[in-house]
Amino acid sequence: MKCLNGVLSDNRSLIDGASPMLNIGLYLTTVLIWGTTWIAIKLQLGEVAVQASILYRFTLAAVVLFVILLLARRLQKLKMSDHLFCFLQGCCLFCFNFLCIYSATGYISSGLMSVIFSMATVMNVINNRIWFGQTPALRTLLGSTLGLSGVGCLFWPEIMTDGFSTGDINSDVLLGMGFAALGTWFFSSGNMVSVRHQKKGLKTPTTNAWGMLYGVLMMSIIVMIQGVPLTFSLEEGYIGSLVYLAIPGTVIGFTAYLMLVGRIGADKAAYSTVMFPAVALTVSTFYEGYQWTLLSIIGFLLVVLGNVMIFARWPGSKIPAFLRRLQA
C-alpha cells in the first residue's frame, strides 16, 4: 500500500520538498525491483513469442495503473501536445526499447548486454546536455566511469565468449551490440521525455499510464505487421512472472525510476542501470549458485564505489578543496 501511495504522489510537491530519504527509497525500489526482473524474464521465454509477452506485460500494467488512478481520482488531464510527448515516451520506453533489448540477447551474451545497457548513464549525460543544456558534475562522470568498469569486471569472462578474447567478433555479435545500443538510446530518450513532463508539472503516474497505452498500441501494430501469433501460456511460472513484470516491474519500477529522474536528474538516476547487474548476480548466488571470483568481487566493489562517488555528501570543511569541487 505504501508503494501505491508513493506511485500516486504529486511529482511537483515531491520535487519542491526535496527529501534525501525519499530519494534513497525511490533509488532502492528501482534497483531492487529491476535487479530481480531478470528471473521473471527468463520464465517468460519459451512457447510465447517475445513480442507477445511484451504486449501482455504492458497491457496489464496500463490497465492496472489506469484503474488505480481513476479510482483515486488522480488521472491528470493532458493537453494534446502532452499526449504527443506521451506517445513518444511510450514508443521509447514501453515498446522499441524492449524490442531492441530482447533482440540483442539473441546475438550476444547477457553480460555484454548488461555492460552496454549500463551506458545509459553516459547517454543520459549527453542527452541532458543536448535537450536541456545541463552540464553534469565531474564526480557524476567519475562515478559512472567506476561503475561501468565494475560491470565490465563482473561480466568479463562472459564477454570474452563473444569473441573479444580472440578478436573473432562476427557480424552477429556486432548486430547484437547495435540492437543493445539502440535499445539503450531509446531508454535514455524516454528519460528525457519524462524530464520534460515533470518540468511542466505533469505527474509521473499519469504520463506513465498514457505512455504505456501508446506503447501497447505501437507494439500491437508491430505484432500485426510481423504476423506474431498471440499465444498464451497457462503455466504458473509464466503467469506469475507476467504479473511480477507488469505490476512491480513496470507500474512501481518505472514510476519510482522516473520520479527519481525528476528529483535528482537523469544522469544520477541512470546509475541504477549500473546497479542492476550487481543485484542480479547477488540474487543469482542464491537462485542459481553463481560462483564469485576475485575479478567479480573487484567489479562489485567498483560499482559500490561509483555509488559513493556520485551520491555521498561529506562536510565541506573535512575534505580537500578538489573533492568539494567534485560535489558541486
Side-chain angles (χ1 to χ4, degrees), residues 18-91:
S19 167
M21 291 306 298
L22 182 56
N23 291 344
I24 292 172
L26 292 171
Y27 184 75
L28 290 178
T29 297
T30 303
V31 169
L32 292 176
I33 288 178
W34 283 354
T36 55
T37 52
W38 66 273
I39 300 174
I41 290 174
K42 285 186 66 174
L43 293 173
Q44 290 275 286
L45 302 177
E47 61 180 285
V48 181
V50 167
Q51 298 93 325
S53 290
I54 296 173
L55 180 62
Y56 300 150
R57 171 182 177 175
F58 290 114
T59 298
L60 178 58
V63 169
V64 168
L65 190 49
F66 267 114
V67 168
I68 292 173
L69 291 171
L70 289 171
L71 290 177
R73 298 183 179 179
R74 294 294 189 92
L75 186 63
Q76 188 178 15
K77 291 184 179 179
L78 304 181
K79 298 177 181 178
M80 181 57 67
S81 59
D82 296 328
H83 275 286
L84 292 176
F85 275 100
C86 283
F87 177 79
L88 179 60
Q89 181 186 22
C91 289

Side-chain angles (χ1 to χ4, degrees), residues 18 94 325:
F94 307 119
R325 286 195 293 272

Side-chain angles (χ1 to χ4, degrees), residues 214-253:
Y214 292 134
V216 166
L217 293 176
M218 179 56 68
M219 182 62 72
S220 298
I221 293 173
I222 292 172
V223 165
M224 285 190 293
I225 292 175
Q226 294 182 339
V228 176
L230 293 178
T231 57
F232 192 82
S233 174
L234 295 178
E235 293 184 4
E236 290 184 3
Y238 183 85
I239 295 175
S241 61
L242 177 61
V243 171
Y244 184 79
L245 287 170
I247 300 177
T250 302
V251 174
I252 297 175

